[in-house]
Amino acid sequence: MQIAQLPIPQQIAHELAVNPQQVQAAITLLDDGATVPFIARYRKEATGGLDDTQLRNLASRLTYLRELHDRRQVILASIREQGKLTQALEQAIQTSASKTELEDLYLPFKPKRRTKGQIAIEAGLEPLALSLLENPQQQPEQLAASYLNSEAGFADSRSVLEGARFILMERFAEDAALLKKVRDYLWNNAEITSVVSPGKETEGAKFRDYFCFNEALKKIPSHRALALFRGRNEGILQLKLNADPQQQDSTARSYGEQLIASHVGIEDRGRAADSWLQQTVQWTWKVKILLHMETELFGTVRERAETDAIQVFANNLNDLLMAAPAGNKVTMGLDPGVRTGVKVAVVDNTGKVLATNTVFPFQPQNQVDKSMRTLATLCKQYKVELISIGNGTHSRETDKLVADMLKANSDIRASKIIVNEAGASVYSASELAAQEFPDLDVSLRGAVSIARRLQDPLAELVKIEPKSIGVGQYQHDVGQAQLASSLDAVVEDCVNAVGVDLNTASVALLARVAGMSKTMAQNIVAQRDLQGRFERREQLLKVPRLGPKAFEQAAGFLRIMNGSEPLDSSAVHPEAYPVVQRIAAHLGKPVASLIGDSAALKTVDAKAFVDDTFGLPTIEDILRELDKPGRDPRPEFKTANFKDGVDHINDLKVGMTLEGVVTNVAAFGAFVDIGVHQDGLVHVSVLADKFVSDPREIVKTGDIVKVKILEVDAARKRISLTMRLNDEVTAAPAAKPLGSKSANPPAPRAASKAAPAAVGSAMGSAFADAFAKLKK
């Protein structure tokens, strides 16, 4: 039996290489309203331990296969209603494994506007077309004379033969088996080509690497594909599908024509109708199939590129959200500015705003001493422990100002850190910020956000629309609905992996907890404000609109610190409290003293507590959680040390080694903030001393890394970096355009330790524009 004929759970099980029972259990839970985080964490027995990534893939594939099934039924009903459904066709439709294959089969029966072929059929020309196809010995002009029909518009042999040709062309172009052959050939052999639109050379300078470009359709990476499509959308580039890149002679017959001729049994043997049939094949290829396939395959390339780009964005967002928190410390946030000044906000260890101000240390005011005194006063008054500086314009100058202030005030024990301020301005002007700080100026809200995101990046970043955080590649060129869905899933998984303090969390953070809605989150905060802190998780059941189902999904991810139930501060789900009580009774200890008692917990045989409700995976999870309750999966907090005196791109020298923070990871490399207002690019070929297929094998967003300067183009604000610190750096030759046959970019596999500068130079031209687009 073909995979497509299997029930949906079995199809998914085959694709994910898991048991059908696991898939069926997951589907049942999803259909019953369970969330992915809840299933992954608290229903391991049912799903056999499927993790959140597997469950996300399962849910996505389930949606696709159900849509495919529904579409299949609609198509079958349509063809059956036409009285044209044969047993063979029904079998083919039932076994179709993709929407593309299904639509190919439906194409001949799909209701459509009257075509030239249909008009010819209505005029009685179909027998002529079939006769010439079956017996090419006949003379076309002579045979056509018997089919003249002036009333239908076929008054002479020429028009009759043209009508017959359109009948065959449409028949060939609607042959599902032929379309599959052509599609497979083109996907494996064709190239996507681009040339600059006439007169657009200057306007489209940022796309100059693609003015004369070609690359295999099957192999083009996502960032280059999206650049091509953006260039076309902006009218700069003209894209075409080169079906026969191996052919040097442009007048030669396309292999696509040969495929058509072979499939329908047409060959030139010098017979009377062979020439007419050959021309029919040529027209079918050029007018019908090639144009159709170009549109379809470009759509496939774009869809694949968008999927890859969205995955890159999702990975980077995950890394950013899961960055190490500095912790509950009094923090000063500084949002650097020149003319408008440096905005200042001090928040306490819970994120509550204590004070705000604006200082003007830069031009035109140049109030350096006054600014330092103001910052020092605030630090001393509120006992500031951390100073968070946004990495925007004049961040290094602000960093120096703070360093001088700390040097002049040795009694201030505060550490300064430059943080990624992406999305702070978006949050400042948002409705959520207005509700949170109705009396605070918009410019000062950004400083508050910068302070809080150092304390807890996750808690603050969830307030910002994920795609506004800006850690994606070509994020504005991808399907926004798919992007939003993917990023929302990342945020949900991160929030639930860390857990949420029920008594301090914002509405934005609570709304991301499994099973929660924005309304429920608002009601929780309203009840908390009205009645005070929650003492037990079960009090959530008294919150309006929060019923048993929502409680089941959310309770395990919500924490109550120092409440009346010790287990409420852990990830142990309330439904499993009886298990903990049995374990405590077995050890002869109260539940409260059991938490964190590693020695006692190590003596527990997990298997002894397995029952019909809770299996071994859950018992083992409970024991781990009791050992380290509420453990945070995020790494230890660390900061990068930017080099003193290196504040601007002009301060950089080739060969200089610096420390920086990875701000973004793309398919072609990683971007690193080295403290000069312009991120540098470490191309994938120089991320390590080995071949790297995926940059995330080596780095992720937020990592602190050491890099060496390969090349600096101050005029274009381009910095090429390497993480292969032992490489010697020398002057680099000018790079040739990317993608041209005469000058391809250096192959990562072939990159040697002796040629890093050449790689850097190629990066300078080949990947600079990708960087510029990425940062927009």
Side-chain angles (χ1 to χ4, degrees), residues 166-186:
F166 276 110
I167 292 173
L168 293 182
M169 286 170 59
E170 291 177 14
R171 174 171 292 200
F172 297 163
E174 294 175 350
D175 186 320
L178 173 59
L179 291 176
K180 185 179 186 308
K181 287 181 182 179
V182 174
R183 183 182 294 111
D184 291 345
Y185 165 74
L186 292 175

Side-chain angles (χ1 to χ4, degrees), residues 30 33-39 52 56 317-318 321-322 458 462 466 484-500 508-517 553-554 557:
L30 289 168
T35 62
V36 166
F38 175 79
I39 297 171
D52 52 1
R56 296 284 182 199
L317 179 63
N318 179 84
L321 293 175
M322 296 299 283
L458 178 61
V462 293
S485 175
S486 178
L487 298 186
D488 283 344
V490 171
V491 176
E492 182 182 41
D493 287 342
C494 290
V495 168
N496 290 287
V498 172
V500 173
L509 189 57
L510 286 168
R512 295 291 188 172
V513 173
M516 284 286 185
S517 67
Q553 298 295 307
F557 303 110

Side-chain angles (χ1 to χ4, degrees), residues 75-117:
I75 288 174
L76 284 171
S78 174
I79 301 175
R80 187 178 291 113
E81 188 176 320
Q82 298 174 41
K84 298 177 181 179
L85 185 62
T86 65
Q87 185 175 353
L89 178 58
E90 182 173 7
Q91 175 69 10
I93 290 173
Q94 293 286 11
T95 57
S96 55
S98 69
K99 293 179 181 178
T100 298
E101 184 180 344
L102 186 60
E103 295 301 330
D104 280 351
L105 291 167
Y106 185 40
L107 194 58
F109 311 96
K110 191 173 185 178
K112 57 178 80 73
R113 62 179 179 82
R114 290 178 73 229
T115 64
K116 291 182 179 180

Side-chain angles (χ1 to χ4, degrees), residues 674-748:
I674 51 177
V676 296
H677 310 306
Q678 180 63 55
D679 292 354
L681 172 63
V682 183
H683 182 238
V684 64
S685 61
V686 287
L687 276 172
D689 290 323
K690 61 180 182 178
F691 171 71
V692 178
S693 60
D694 179 2
R696 283 178 55 82
E697 297 173 6
I698 307 299
V699 294
K700 65 179 185 296
T701 302
D703 281 356
I704 298 170
V705 297
K706 285 190 175 181
V707 295
K708 183 183 286 187
I709 307 296
L710 280 179
E711 184 181 6
V712 180
D713 185 344
R716 299 175 63 204
K717 296 183 179 180
R718 306 289 187 251
I719 306 168
S720 297
L721 309 171
T722 178
M723 285 175 55
R724 298 189 338 196
L725 303 182
N726 294 326
D727 286 352
E728 294 183 6
V729 178
T730 57
K736 296 180 180 179
L738 170 67
S740 61
K741 287 189 175 179
S742 60
N744 286 315

Side-chain angles (χ1 to χ4, degrees), residues 217-354:
L217 199 67
K218 185 178 182 179
K219 296 180 179 179
I220 186 168
S222 62
H223 58 280
R224 288 211 282 275
L226 291 174
L228 288 174
F229 292 124
R230 176 184 285 184
R232 182 178 66 176
N233 292 341
E234 294 183 11
I236 306 300
L237 302 177
Q238 296 177 357
L239 306 186
K240 285 186 64 178
L241 181 70
N242 182 1
D244 302 286
Q246 71 283 358
Q247 287 186 2
Q248 300 300 319
D249 182 4
S250 60
T251 63
R253 187 186 188 194
S254 169
Y255 186 69
E257 294 180 35
Q258 297 177 45
L259 275 176
I260 297 170
S262 174
H263 182 80
V264 299
I266 292 176
E267 56 180 322
D268 190 357
R269 290 159 46 186
R271 293 166 296 185
D274 282 348
S275 177
W276 182 84
L277 289 170
Q278 289 291 336
Q279 192 173 34
T280 299
V281 168
Q282 186 181 58
W283 283 28
T284 302
W285 170 245
K286 292 183 177 180
V287 176
K288 292 286 188 181
I289 294 182
L290 180 57
L291 294 177
H292 169 74
M293 285 297 169
E294 179 177 276
T295 301
E296 179 187 308
L297 293 177
F298 279 5
T300 299
V301 170
R302 182 175 192 111
E303 182 179 347
R304 187 181 65 165
E306 289 187 3
T307 299
D308 289 347
I310 289 171
Q311 188 58 54
V312 167
F313 199 150
N315 291 338
N316 287 335
L317 179 63
N318 179 84
D319 295 338
L320 190 61
L321 293 175
M322 296 299 283
N328 299 329
K329 299 178 180 180
V330 179
T331 304
M332 173 183 286
L334 300 179
D335 187 359
V338 184
R339 182 182 57 81
T340 57
V342 178
K343 276 65 70 177
V344 185
V346 180
V347 302
D348 69 10
N349 58 2
T350 67
K352 179 183 177 181
V353 178
L354 300 175

Side-chain angles (χ1 to χ4, degrees), residues 10 14 78 158 192 200 331 348 437 507 566 574 594 604 687:
Q10 293 186 36
H14 178 82
S78 174
R158 180 179 178 181
I192 185 171
K200 295 288 187 178
T331 304
D348 69 10
F437 305 112
V507 170
L594 184 62
V604 176
L687 276 172

